[in-house]
Amino acid sequence: RHRHRLRTAQIEQGDGEGRPYHGAVGFGLCRNPRRDLDADVSAVVDAEDAVARRAAAIRLGAAQSGANPDSGLGESAAMVEGVFASALRRWFGVLFWFLLLGAVGAVLYRLAALAAEGEFADALPSSTRNGARRFFALLNWPVAQAMTLSLALVGNFDTVLGVWRDANGASLRLDHAHLGAAARASVRCEIAEETQELIEEGATPGNAWVQLGELPELRDAMSLVWRILLLWLAILALFVVAGWVS
């Protein structure tokens, strides 16, 4: 009887030790299977002509951001929003719900994404697809709020806060227009600071813009996304360390 109890305890202990690995595997499988976000941004920057750049922007996800490159926002602004919208869907949405609900949350988010967007969604009845889109927007709302707060912490806090207020970020509308507006404003601040630094080093305003390279907006947008991700991982590491200590 003693051996039977000891064996049962060992099995239960082994199952507990395997749960974190199961969760990590589930999170890895639920990450967006498309190309890496860095590769899609580089494809836009390195495009040979306008047609290739528009195709690369579609792969990046500029259309999903809600901004049309043909609208008054301009092509660069639409692609900046596309970077953040794509990062939300590919990285932060899965990570947020994984941290909140574990592997179940990551699977739930990925299934909602498949039912709301893409070729799988096109095969669904319209009523089902519309319901899935509303549910997916509901899942994205807290993620967009957390990304906007993180953007304020890693960028210009006052600028992001002001844009968030102007875009009615505190409302319960199921969209993330405030995230796109904050992203555009933050990128403008980044470019202005870089241009000012080059002018202080002796460059003329026109030459300073040339030195920034082609599509500096995308480069700075990607830099901000990486900073947000590093902030999230740092906070996650603090919680893990605190759990070990306690």
Side-chain angles (χ1 to χ4, degrees):
R1 182 178 299 177
H2 176 71
R3 292 180 178 178
H4 176 71
R5 292 177 178 175
L6 179 61
R7 178 59 179 165
T8 302
Q10 290 175 345
I11 293 175
E12 291 177 353
Q13 182 180 3
D15 291 341
E17 292 176 352
R19 290 192 187 103
Y21 299 102
H22 297 161
V25 171
F27 172 74
L29 293 176
C30 288
R31 289 185 66 250
N32 197 305
R34 293 184 298 178
R35 294 173 54 190
D36 185 74
L37 184 58
D38 273 331
D40 284 345
V41 172
S42 298
V44 175
V45 176
D46 299 335
E48 297 179 354
D49 51 38
V51 176
R53 178 162 294 169
R54 181 174 293 273
I58 293 175
R59 288 195 300 270
L60 173 63
Q64 295 177 351
S65 70
N68 187 342
D70 297 327
S71 67
L73 286 177
E75 183 179 17
S76 298
M79 285 191 282
V80 166
E81 289 196 15
V83 170
F84 276 79
S86 189
L88 186 154
R89 288 165 169 80
R90 299 190 196 188
W91 295 355
F92 295 101
V94 176
L95 180 58
F96 179 91
W97 289 106
F98 174 76
L99 296 177
L100 200 64
L101 301 177
V104 174
V107 172
L108 176 66
Y109 184 84
R110 185 51 56 211
L111 290 177
L114 291 174
E117 300 173 342
E119 58 184 9
F120 295 100
D122 295 336
L124 296 175
S126 59
S127 59
T128 303
R129 183 169 59 250
N130 292 335
R133 287 174 177 171
R134 286 193 295 269
F135 180 65
F136 189 51
L138 178 64
L139 294 179
N140 279 328
W141 187 85
V143 185
Q145 294 287 352
M147 287 181 66
T148 305
L149 174 60
S150 303
L151 181 59
L153 296 176
V154 302
N156 190 307
F157 187 90
D158 293 334
T159 298
V160 173
L161 181 60
V163 171
W164 178 80
R165 288 174 176 171
D166 295 338
N168 296 322
S171 67
L172 297 179
R173 293 183 308 173
L174 296 182
D175 61 27
H176 47 82
H178 59 278
L179 176 60
R184 298 196 311 270
S186 296
V187 168
R188 286 196 299 267
C189 289
E190 294 287 316
I191 293 178
E193 291 176 1
E194 294 173 5
T195 303
Q196 184 61 33
E197 290 178 0
L198 291 174
I199 292 176
E200 290 176 355
E201 292 175 359
T204 61
N207 190 27
W209 181 258
V210 173
Q211 292 184 37
L212 291 177
E214 191 172 7
L215 291 177
E217 299 91 347
L218 287 185
R219 181 202 63 210
D220 287 341
M222 199 64 217
S223 175
L224 289 168
V225 166
W226 276 115
R227 280 187 250 171
I228 294 173
L229 182 61
L230 290 176
L231 176 62
W232 283 36
L233 294 179
I235 294 174
L236 174 61
L238 290 177
F239 278 109
V240 172
V241 171
W244 283 344
V245 171
S246 60

